[in-house]
Amino acid sequence: KQEVTQIPAALSVPEGENLVLNCSFTDSAIYNLQWFRQDPGKGLTSLLLIQSSQREQTSGRLNASLDKSSGRSTLYIAASQPGDSATYLCAVANSGYSTLTFGKGTMLLVSP
Amino acid sequence: KAGVTQTPRYLIKTRGQQVTLSCSPISGHRSVSWYQQTPGQGLQFLFEYFSETQRNKGNFPGRFSGRQFSNSRSEMNVSTLELGDSALYLCASSIQGVELFFGEGSRLTVL
């Protein structure tokens, strides 16, 4: 059974810092890995999708890497802004059938 | 391009009642999946439909059911509601089940 762990559970940083969020998974036979953002009381916004054959994906100030062999992914946020404050969720798919296993998330607070 | 639309956004029910939640996927998306989010358990997979067929089901009791219509719209139903069913129910759509796009969710409170 796939298990996904995210560390840290919460993170508070001043504006402008570069930061790294970690995600680990127990079964390395993944189909893809997706990072999401969730604002309080809202749905999930897709940030980055990394296919199992890829090593990283970039979108603006976000960069996600994937190391299947070690069961790890990191989300790098450059030059953090108060608007980045949200919960960041990592989710792993072991097949192409929309069955995602989620971590519990990292709650990020960026202070002005 | 319209996103995933879920209705109703908020609802309050009492124990023993049943509830039906609706999800309209992004145009052209044929896969719809449902997730339950609670503070204690986080996000858990309920089921996934593709072209009106249930392709996968999570580990939830039979009180949780769903269906998908020919226009890809989906509904999920929870019968005999329990207090523990209080949660945010999220619907996601995708073209083939690869990259998921989520709606804003339906927040269910069971009293």
Side-chain angles (χ1 to χ4, degrees):
Chain A
K1 178 189 169 187
Q2 180 71 271
E3 292 182 1
V4 179
T5 304
Q6 291 188 245
I7 295 173
L11 183 62
S12 181
V13 300
E15 181 177 9
E17 277 204 6
N18 302 323
L19 51 99
V20 174
L21 308 182
N22 296 292
C23 171
S24 62
F25 46 93
T26 55
D27 182 356
S28 61
I30 67 169
Y31 187 80
N32 64 44
L33 184 146
Q34 202 166 349
W35 282 93
F36 294 91
R37 166 189 172 136
Q38 185 174 33
D39 293 287
K42 302 288 189 179
L44 277 60
T45 300
S46 178
L47 296 173
L48 291 165
L49 170 72
I50 310 177
Q51 300 286 5
S52 62
S53 59
Q54 298 175 317
R55 295 282 296 186
E56 66 177 327
Q57 280 283 2
T58 298
S59 176
R61 295 183 293 109
L62 304 179
N63 175 276
S65 66
L66 173 64
D67 184 343
K68 273 181 39 177
S69 61
S70 66
R72 296 179 186 276
S73 176
T74 61
L75 178 66
Y76 176 82
I77 303 176
S80 58
Q81 303 171 357
D84 295 330
S85 298
T87 295
Y88 290 80
L89 293 151
C90 167
V92 170
N94 284 98
S95 73
Y97 292 148
S98 303
T99 306
L100 295 180
T101 302
F102 282 86
K104 292 290 179 71
T106 293
M107 187 182 303
L108 173 65
L109 176 63
V110 181
S111 305
Chain B
K1 187 174 182 181
V4 178
T5 303
Q6 292 189 243
T7 57
R9 290 290 316 280
Y10 304 91
L11 63 166
I12 300 173
K13 295 286 186 178
T14 57
R15 282 178 295 175
Q17 287 187 311
Q18 74 166 9
V19 66
T20 299
L21 309 178
S22 178
C23 173
S24 294
I26 293 171
S27 178
H29 286 194
R30 296 166 63 189
S31 169
V32 173
S33 52
W34 289 88
Y35 288 80
Q36 181 196 63
Q37 185 176 32
T38 59
Q41 298 297 320
L43 276 149
Q44 294 183 287
F45 170 73
L46 281 157
F47 26 66
E48 188 247 356
Y49 290 87
F50 184 84
S51 294
E52 301 179 67
T53 300
Q54 186 181 89
R55 289 201 299 192
N56 215 342
K57 189 178 189 304
N59 188 26
F60 277 82
R63 300 184 297 107
F64 292 80
S65 63
R67 59 178 175 169
Q68 185 180 34
F69 303 96
S70 58
N71 62 359
S72 293
R73 189 178 70 86
S74 177
E75 289 181 349
M76 67 163 284
N77 183 276
V78 187
S79 62
T80 319
L81 284 166
E82 301 176 359
L83 295 179
D85 297 332
S86 295
L88 181 65
Y89 290 88
L90 291 161
C91 168
S93 78
S94 65
I95 292 177
Q96 288 278 0
V98 179
E99 184 172 11
L100 271 63
F101 297 90
F102 283 81
E104 292 292 324
S106 292
R107 182 165 297 282
L108 170 65
T109 301
V110 182
L111 302 176

